[in-house]
Amino acid sequence: MKILLTGLSSLSGLRFAQALRRKGHEVWGGVTRASLDQYDGLRRARLQEWDGPVLTRLQFGSPGFLAALEREGPFDLCCHHGAEISDYRNPQFDFLDAARRNTGDALAACQALAASGCRALLATGSYFEAEEGGTPRDDQRAIYAYGLSKTLSWHILRHASERAGLLPAKFVMPTPFGALEEPRLAAYLVSRWKAGETPVLQTPFYVRDHLPIDLMAEGYAQFCERVALAPRETPAAIFRPSGFVESVGAFAERLADEFGRREGKAFSVDASTQSSQEEPQDRRNTESLLTSVYPWDAQAFWDAYHAFYFRQG
């Protein structure tokens, strides 16, 4: 297949593109900035790992997006992975503006895709969305305004896809982790361990779903192939892959064990007190990939993850 994938500069975008290429597909990655030289830090490092074609100014539903479809298409599948995520925990995160940026003129984009022979639009969702991340009995409100922006984006994209005659599909991401990730929980833990201190967790009792990015990418690539073969008249296809479902404290202990064994040290965490209870207690996906048949070298993954934090600089 010839596949267009937005959001290439993210960790998951890069790994998804690489997994699809390993399966023999022609992947065109997209970024929103005018040139690759405008990226630095981790995003630049990720883009340097990609040696396939890249389309710039590829904001979904923008005039530039429509022009790229006409110039470089047709595409068999459009994977809309890019999203506005900067400062996503900020209470002032503008969810309406983010949804607009995520979708643009969604109907025009979907109509152009359908007219050129594209079969489906696969949007990346989040288990932070409303009505995701558990059973109907659980607290399924959106987590952060970011989760609300993703909820709105999915409904807009699904509506536009259906009107244009595309099959709408959604890949619901849990929390990815792996080398080249943004500095969040693992970065904090490692910084304290390197300083000879015990990191103190603020919300150790929340239950969350952490999925190794390599395994997530394999699941994504196989889902893409299933979506591309599904009849257009079928209902929206949704995949909710799951990884390590456990408390944040237990996941931090998992990192302490994996990193500690590779360093020959005993790392510990203080997971004794929960300082906040503002978020839903339990947020998880439903389809475990840890016991699946997806190819994944766990040892190589953990070695690379350890090297990213302990062997750089």
Side-chain angles (χ1 to χ4, degrees), residues 254-268:
R254 183 182 298 278
L255 298 185
D257 177 65
E258 294 287 353
F259 290 162
R261 283 192 289 108
R262 287 166 173 79
E263 286 294 295
K265 298 178 180 180
F267 293 143
S268 61

Side-chain angles (χ1 to χ4, degrees), residues 6 31-32 56-70 80 100-110 112:
T6 68
V31 295
T32 58
T56 59
R57 297 183 186 271
L58 202 71
Q59 190 85 38
F60 188 87
S62 69
F65 182 88
L66 297 174
L69 293 182
E70 183 174 356
H80 183 23
R100 292 189 191 97
R101 290 172 179 268
N102 293 342
T103 58
D105 190 341
L107 182 57
C110 289

Side-chain angles (χ1 to χ4, degrees), residues 21 32 36 44 56 58 87 125 138 152 178 189 204 230 236 240 245 248 254 282 301 305 313:
R21 276 235 309 216
T32 58
L36 299 183
R44 185 177 186 86
T56 59
L58 202 71
D87 204 14
D138 295 330
L152 294 173
L189 296 174
R240 299 178 174 91
V245 178
V248 173
R254 183 182 298 278
D282 191 323
F301 168 82
Y305 196 31

Side-chain angles (χ1 to χ4, degrees), residues 16 125 127 170-175 209-211 215-220 223 226 238-245 284-290 294:
F16 291 175
Y127 77 148
K170 180 166 70 163
F171 183 88
V172 182
M173 283 183 61
T175 302
D209 195 338
H210 292 84
L211 182 56
L215 185 54
M216 184 186 291
E218 289 298 327
Y220 184 88
F223 183 57
R226 297 202 303 272
I238 301 179
F239 185 34
R240 299 178 174 91
S242 177
F244 297 108
V245 178
R284 65 180 74 190
N285 275 349
T286 55
E287 301 173 64
S288 178
L289 299 191
L290 296 176
Y294 296 123

Side-chain angles (χ1 to χ4, degrees), residues 158-171:
R158 177 174 182 169
H159 177 75
S161 298
E162 291 172 341
R163 285 190 60 188
L166 292 176
L167 171 67
K170 180 166 70 163
F171 183 88

Side-chain angles (χ1 to χ4, degrees), residues 59 82-104 128-130 142-157:
Q59 190 85 38
E84 180 60 42
I85 196 173
S86 58
D87 204 14
Y88 75 102
R89 291 176 179 264
N90 190 331
Q92 303 305 314
F93 183 91
D94 190 335
F95 65 90
L96 286 176
D97 183 65
R100 292 189 191 97
R101 290 172 179 268
N102 293 342
T103 58
F128 278 18
E129 291 177 35
I143 299 181
Y144 310 129
Y146 160 74
L148 186 54
S149 75
K150 293 292 289 183
T151 305
L152 294 173
S153 298
W154 163 240
H155 285 289
I156 292 168
L157 293 169

Side-chain angles (χ1 to χ4, degrees), residues 63-85:
F65 182 88
L66 297 174
L69 293 182
E70 183 174 356
R71 183 177 66 252
E72 308 295 351
F75 295 95
D76 301 299
L77 177 66
C78 179
C79 297
H80 183 23
H81 181 66
E84 180 60 42
I85 196 173

